[in-house]
Amino acid sequence: MITPFREAAARIYNPHAAEWFAGGGQIAGYTCSFMPPEIFHAAGILPYRLRGIETETMEIGDAYYGPYVCTFPKCLLQLAGQGKYGFLSGAVISTGCDAMRRLDECWRMAGKDYPDALPEFFHYFDVPHKTEPHALAWFKDEIRRLITAVSNHYGVLITDENLKSAISCYNRGRELLLEMESLRAAEDVVISGTDAFTVAVAGTVMPRQRFNEHLEALVHELRAAAPEPANGRKRILVTGSINDDTDLVGLIEDAGAVVVADNICFGIRSAADMVRTDGDPVDALAGGYLSNSVCPRMFGAYDQRFANLREKAARTGAEGVILQNIRFCDMHGSENSLIEKDFEAMGIPCLKLEREYGPLTETGRMKMRIEAFLEQLS
């Protein structure tokens, strides 16, 4: 039951996206969890969260960004310049952080130098950093502007009924992810943290209806599965900056832990944010995506974010917390220090890991630090 998710999470051009494309379907990439994929789903277009795995060199990313920037947007630009996103007919760039905002400028510039690097539909989707009423009104305008741009470019009509249907489909996926998370938190192991994270990543790059069908079958199987004894493996919560590399969670579990929860962009962090299905769908999307400040890009909501982490650690019985961030990620690097201080004041040990994005080039160093941390918990 886990195979379709592993296939989807393992490659940029995964078999599910390839089948969609081969059937004549359009695929549009996006960069941030604050961009509602329901808009593209409602237009009959596959929304695809852009990933930087399979990056092997960085000459294009370095040329446009310079050396002292988070490697995630540089990997996206590198792959775009190499034509790895040739299956995309569109892309939406958002202000997840300043480095991601610059991806809009750098990608447009690279499109002049590298033929076919820039998709025909290329849109900048701004996201406020606050949740006050004026910011919510701005965010609604951005959503309407995106709907208009998609409708005009692709020649499709996105109706309120289409949007409500898309919201219901995505909400069903969120319900199933939350049920999987509940099973994952059991005392003995029903599903590994690596597989659970793989499912969450796959959900960002698969047709949603198909994802829901496979996840419904997996959850049904997990409910009936005999749990595997934990055998003393330490229960770990993983949080921090963007990560879509399932090998990172695998590295932690191979060292003798079980990752019972995560709070990672690309993981299940936003799954609890159900979107209303009544009333105006644009209002519902704006409220659902902006109101819960799960990312440190949102100003003035650290207490809310730490309360969420504290509840998650308590509910899953986490014995330790691993705080990872990509090098030069100021937002998560700074907030991880606050989280470390507050968790350790509660008697929950933490390990901070700063790393480069991409294939685990620092595997040896990180493995040694993770093993030492787990020994500390013994």
Side-chain angles (χ1 to χ4, degrees):
M1 289 295 177
I2 198 71
T3 301
F5 305 109
R6 288 177 178 162
E7 290 174 343
R11 296 167 53 194
I12 292 281
Y13 193 39
N14 68 70
H16 306 280
E19 185 180 336
W20 179 279
F21 187 75
Q26 305 266 14
I27 305 175
Y30 64 101
T31 58
C32 181
S33 60
F34 283 77
M35 201 292 296
E38 286 93 335
I39 294 171
F40 284 99
H41 184 99
I45 300 164
L46 173 60
Y48 178 99
R49 182 86 186 265
L50 290 172
R51 308 179 61 200
I53 58 170
E54 301 179 23
T55 307
E56 295 178 344
T57 61
M58 198 63 87
E59 70 274 10
I60 299 174
D62 279 339
Y64 291 88
Y65 267 108
Y68 304 114
V69 179
C70 163
T71 34
F72 180 67
K74 288 168 66 172
C75 285
L76 298 188
L77 185 62
Q78 180 72 31
L79 295 181
Q82 291 176 334
K84 283 275 192 176
Y85 300 137
F87 56 94
L88 298 180
S89 62
V92 178
I93 311 300
S94 299
T95 45
C97 61
D98 193 55
M100 292 305 294
R101 180 196 61 75
R102 285 185 57 202
L103 182 61
D104 178 75
E105 302 158 3
C106 293
W107 197 336
R108 288 180 194 275
M109 187 60 69
K112 298 177 182 177
D113 299 329
Y114 294 90
D116 303 324
L118 195 68
E120 289 184 5
F121 178 75
F122 199 76
H123 184 88
Y124 182 72
F125 180 76
D126 213 349
V127 181
H129 291 277
K130 296 182 177 180
T131 58
E132 278 78 359
H134 68 279
L136 192 60
W138 172 17
F139 195 49
K140 289 176 191 174
D141 287 344
E142 282 296 309
I143 291 175
R144 292 191 186 97
R145 198 169 67 87
L146 177 58
I147 290 172
T148 300
V150 172
S151 300
N152 291 341
H153 179 83
Y154 287 98
V156 295
L157 181 63
I158 302 176
T159 65
D160 285 358
E161 288 69 30
N162 294 147
L163 283 172
K164 288 182 178 180
S165 175
I167 290 169
S168 295
C169 184
Y170 272 76
N171 277 349
R172 179 58 184 150
R174 294 180 180 108
E175 290 171 352
L176 291 165
L177 283 169
L178 287 174
E179 186 164 356
M180 182 188 71
E181 279 297 280
S182 174
L183 292 165
R184 177 187 186 183
E187 184 174 343
D188 289 326
V189 180
V190 176
I191 180 171
S192 70
T194 307
D195 282 345
F197 185 64
T198 297
V199 170
V201 172
T204 67
V205 292
M206 286 176 69
R208 194 63 172 195
Q209 190 63 45
R210 176 176 292 186
F211 172 75
N212 288 353
E213 291 167 1
H214 284 301
L215 185 50
E216 192 141 11
L218 176 64
V219 168
H220 179 76
E221 184 182 83
L222 293 177
R223 284 197 210 106
E228 176 188 340
N231 289 333
R233 284 176 285 175
K234 299 304 176 186
R235 301 172 68 84
I236 298 297
L237 163 64
V238 179
T239 186
S241 67
I242 196 164
N243 175 58
D244 63 337
D245 188 350
T246 57
D247 286 347
L248 175 63
V249 181
L251 185 69
I252 296 168
E253 295 199 315
D254 287 347
V258 54
V259 175
V260 291
D262 66 71
N263 199 64
I264 305 172
C265 188
F266 265 105
I268 200 170
R269 189 177 68 177
S270 304
D273 298 338
M274 304 296 283
V275 177
R276 286 184 7 244
T277 54
D278 60 332
D280 179 68
V282 171
D283 288 353
L285 287 171
Y289 277 83
L290 193 67
S291 62
N292 197 359
S293 303
V294 293
C295 176
R297 73 171 301 283
M298 301 300 289
F299 291 168
Y302 171 74
D303 290 345
Q304 177 186 342
R305 288 192 288 275
F306 184 70
N308 176 50
L309 284 174
R310 187 174 54 207
E311 183 278 329
K312 191 171 282 195
R315 175 168 47 79
T316 60
E319 299 167 88
V321 179
I322 293 181
L323 305 147
Q324 57 83 34
N325 70 271
I326 302 173
R327 195 160 292 136
F328 301 117
C329 177
D330 295 335
M331 294 190 310
H332 281 284
S334 302
E335 187 145 304
N336 281 353
S337 295
L338 296 175
I339 295 170
E340 178 186 35
K341 175 177 72 69
D342 287 341
F343 265 131
E344 297 208 332
M346 295 167 55
I348 299 178
C350 294
L351 171 67
K352 285 202 302 180
L353 282 178
E354 187 175 72
R355 62 190 180 84
E356 296 289 2
Y357 173 83
L360 293 179
T361 53
E362 301 171 283
T363 298
R365 177 183 71 85
M366 291 204 297
K367 182 172 184 289
M368 186 169 61
R369 293 196 63 202
I370 292 166
E371 288 174 345
F373 177 63
L374 296 179
E375 282 183 21
Q376 176 190 338
L377 302 181
S378 301

